């Protein structure tokens, strides 16, 4: 992805792994942005500053997180 694409992104996404319960809803909603680790199944943020084209998927992931572990700023 180009730096221009990132400049017009939706903000920065972060995850509180201590709060994560490993439900995987974020991965289902936005697999290009989130994954789960192999050991505990906890959230991994693959792209902290996703492009605007992923806005709907990221917002859906934040909304669907049952533990509230995701924050979009």
């Amino acid at each position: 992805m180009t730096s221009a694409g990132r400049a017009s992104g939706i903000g920065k996404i972060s995850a509180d792994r201590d709060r994560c319960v490993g439900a995987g809803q974020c991965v289902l909603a936005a697999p290009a942005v989130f994954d789960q680790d192999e050991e505990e199944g906890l959230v991994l943020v693959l792209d902290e500053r996703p492009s605007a084209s992923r806005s709907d998927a990221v917002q859906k992931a934040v909304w669907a997180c049952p533990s509230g572990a995701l924050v979009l700023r």
Side-chain angles (χ1 to χ4, degrees), residues 14-31:
S14 61
D16 182 348
R17 288 176 48 91
D18 290 331
R19 196 168 185 175
C20 178
V21 295
Q25 296 303 304
C26 55
V27 179
L28 292 173

Side-chain angles (χ1 to χ4, degrees), residues 25-35 44 46 54 57 61:
Q25 296 303 304
C26 55
V27 179
L28 292 173
V33 179
F34 303 101
D35 199 356
L44 296 172
L46 303 175
R54 294 196 170 113

Side-chain angles (χ1 to χ4, degrees), residues 16-67:
D16 182 348
R17 288 176 48 91
D18 290 331
R19 196 168 185 175
C20 178
V21 295
Q25 296 303 304
C26 55
V27 179
L28 292 173
V33 179
F34 303 101
D35 199 356
Q36 290 174 278
D37 70 31
E38 293 291 325
E39 284 184 27
E40 300 174 83
L42 300 179
V43 64
L44 296 172
V45 178
L46 303 175
D47 186 358
E48 290 182 344
R49 296 190 183 276
S51 66
S53 66
R54 294 196 170 113
S55 175
D56 288 344
V58 170
Q59 290 176 7
K60 181 178 178 183
V62 170
W63 177 84
C65 180
S67 65

